[in-house]
mmCIF file of all heavy atoms in Angstrom:
data_model
loop_
_atom_site.group_PDB
_atom_site.id
_atom_site.type_symbol
_atom_site.label_atom_id
_atom_site.label_comp_id
_atom_site.label_asym_id
_atom_site.label_seq_id
_atom_site.Cartn_x
_atom_site.Cartn_y
_atom_site.Cartn_z
ATOM 1 N N ALA G 66 45.755 23.584 -2.478
ATOM 2 C CA ALA G 66 47.223 23.907 -2.891
ATOM 3 C C ALA G 66 47.774 25.082 -2.036
ATOM 4 O O ALA G 66 48.853 24.994 -1.539
ATOM 5 C CB ALA G 66 47.217 24.194 -4.337
ATOM 6 N N MET G 67 46.909 26.138 -1.823
ATOM 7 C CA MET G 67 47.275 27.242 -1.055
ATOM 8 C C MET G 67 47.545 26.907 0.377
ATOM 9 O O MET G 67 48.389 27.298 1.074
ATOM 10 C CB MET G 67 46.229 28.322 -1.269
ATOM 11 C CG MET G 67 46.740 29.721 -0.976
ATOM 12 S SD MET G 67 47.634 30.423 -2.451
ATOM 13 C CE MET G 67 46.227 30.742 -3.504
ATOM 14 N N GLN G 68 46.501 26.020 0.971
ATOM 15 C CA GLN G 68 46.706 25.658 2.250
ATOM 16 C C GLN G 68 47.957 24.909 2.527
ATOM 17 O O GLN G 68 48.661 25.089 3.665
ATOM 18 C CB GLN G 68 45.455 24.854 2.684
ATOM 19 C CG GLN G 68 44.160 25.684 2.784
ATOM 20 C CD GLN G 68 42.927 24.763 2.960
ATOM 21 O OE1 GLN G 68 43.060 23.662 3.313
ATOM 22 N NE2 GLN G 68 41.804 25.370 2.788
ATOM 23 N N PHE G 69 48.355 23.976 1.712
ATOM 24 C CA PHE G 69 49.596 23.192 1.829
ATOM 25 C C PHE G 69 50.784 24.121 1.857
ATOM 26 O O PHE G 69 51.688 23.862 2.590
ATOM 27 C CB PHE G 69 49.746 22.114 0.738
ATOM 28 C CG PHE G 69 48.764 20.901 0.935
ATOM 29 C CD1 PHE G 69 47.808 20.540 0.037
ATOM 30 C CD2 PHE G 69 49.002 20.063 2.053
ATOM 31 C CE1 PHE G 69 47.099 19.413 0.252
ATOM 32 C CE2 PHE G 69 48.234 18.982 2.299
ATOM 33 C CZ PHE G 69 47.214 18.690 1.426
ATOM 34 N N LEU G 70 50.770 25.126 0.994
ATOM 35 C CA LEU G 70 51.906 25.986 0.903
ATOM 36 C C LEU G 70 51.988 26.844 2.068
ATOM 37 O O LEU G 70 53.156 27.127 2.618
ATOM 38 C CB LEU G 70 51.804 26.938 -0.349
ATOM 39 C CG LEU G 70 52.288 26.294 -1.670
ATOM 40 C CD1 LEU G 70 52.090 27.215 -2.810
ATOM 41 C CD2 LEU G 70 53.734 25.747 -1.674
ATOM 42 N N PHE G 71 50.867 27.339 2.680
ATOM 43 C CA PHE G 71 50.919 28.167 3.814
ATOM 44 C C PHE G 71 51.407 27.273 4.953
ATOM 45 O O PHE G 71 52.108 27.891 5.977
ATOM 46 C CB PHE G 71 49.550 28.800 4.084
ATOM 47 C CG PHE G 71 49.253 29.980 3.269
ATOM 48 C CD1 PHE G 71 48.178 30.149 2.531
ATOM 49 C CD2 PHE G 71 50.142 31.130 3.264
ATOM 50 C CE1 PHE G 71 47.916 31.260 1.717
ATOM 51 C CE2 PHE G 71 49.933 32.263 2.454
ATOM 52 C CZ PHE G 71 48.839 32.356 1.751
ATOM 53 N N LYS G 72 50.937 26.055 5.120
ATOM 54 C CA LYS G 72 51.363 25.137 6.197
ATOM 55 C C LYS G 72 52.961 24.920 6.063
ATOM 56 O O LYS G 72 53.563 24.932 7.095
ATOM 57 C CB LYS G 72 50.679 23.771 6.001
ATOM 58 C CG LYS G 72 50.917 22.909 7.312
ATOM 59 C CD LYS G 72 50.035 21.623 7.121
ATOM 60 C CE LYS G 72 50.312 20.727 8.364
ATOM 61 N NZ LYS G 72 49.487 19.488 8.210
ATOM 62 N N ALA G 73 53.456 24.793 4.884
ATOM 63 C CA ALA G 73 54.870 24.673 4.709
ATOM 64 C C ALA G 73 55.602 25.824 5.157
ATOM 65 O O ALA G 73 56.670 25.769 5.763
ATOM 66 C CB ALA G 73 55.202 24.354 3.166
ATOM 67 N N LEU G 74 55.086 26.994 4.728
ATOM 68 C CA LEU G 74 55.705 28.310 5.157
ATOM 69 C C LEU G 74 55.726 28.495 6.597
ATOM 70 O O LEU G 74 56.592 29.126 7.288
ATOM 71 C CB LEU G 74 55.052 29.461 4.404
ATOM 72 C CG LEU G 74 55.636 29.746 3.027
ATOM 73 C CD1 LEU G 74 54.724 30.684 2.246
ATOM 74 C CD2 LEU G 74 56.980 30.258 3.019
ATOM 75 N N ALA G 75 54.658 28.119 7.275
ATOM 76 C CA ALA G 75 54.590 28.143 8.768
ATOM 77 C C ALA G 75 55.732 27.338 9.414
ATOM 78 O O ALA G 75 56.157 27.629 10.489
ATOM 79 C CB ALA G 75 53.258 27.666 9.244
ATOM 80 N N LYS G 76 56.095 26.167 8.656
ATOM 81 C CA LYS G 76 57.190 25.402 9.325
ATOM 82 C C LYS G 76 58.512 25.959 8.973
ATOM 83 O O LYS G 76 59.430 25.842 9.754
ATOM 84 C CB LYS G 76 57.066 23.961 8.706
ATOM 85 C CG LYS G 76 55.752 23.196 9.008
ATOM 86 C CD LYS G 76 55.619 22.932 10.471
ATOM 87 C CE LYS G 76 54.316 22.264 10.815
ATOM 88 N NZ LYS G 76 54.152 21.959 12.231
ATOM 89 N N ALA G 77 58.557 26.650 7.810
ATOM 90 C CA ALA G 77 59.910 27.171 7.421
ATOM 91 C C ALA G 77 59.707 28.612 6.840
ATOM 92 O O ALA G 77 59.747 28.828 5.563
ATOM 93 C CB ALA G 77 60.546 26.318 6.384
#
Side-chain angles (χ1 to χ4, degrees):
M67 203 81 74
Q68 288 171 15
F69 281 121
L70 280 180
F71 280 127
K72 188 175 179 181
L74 276 166
K76 300 294 180 184

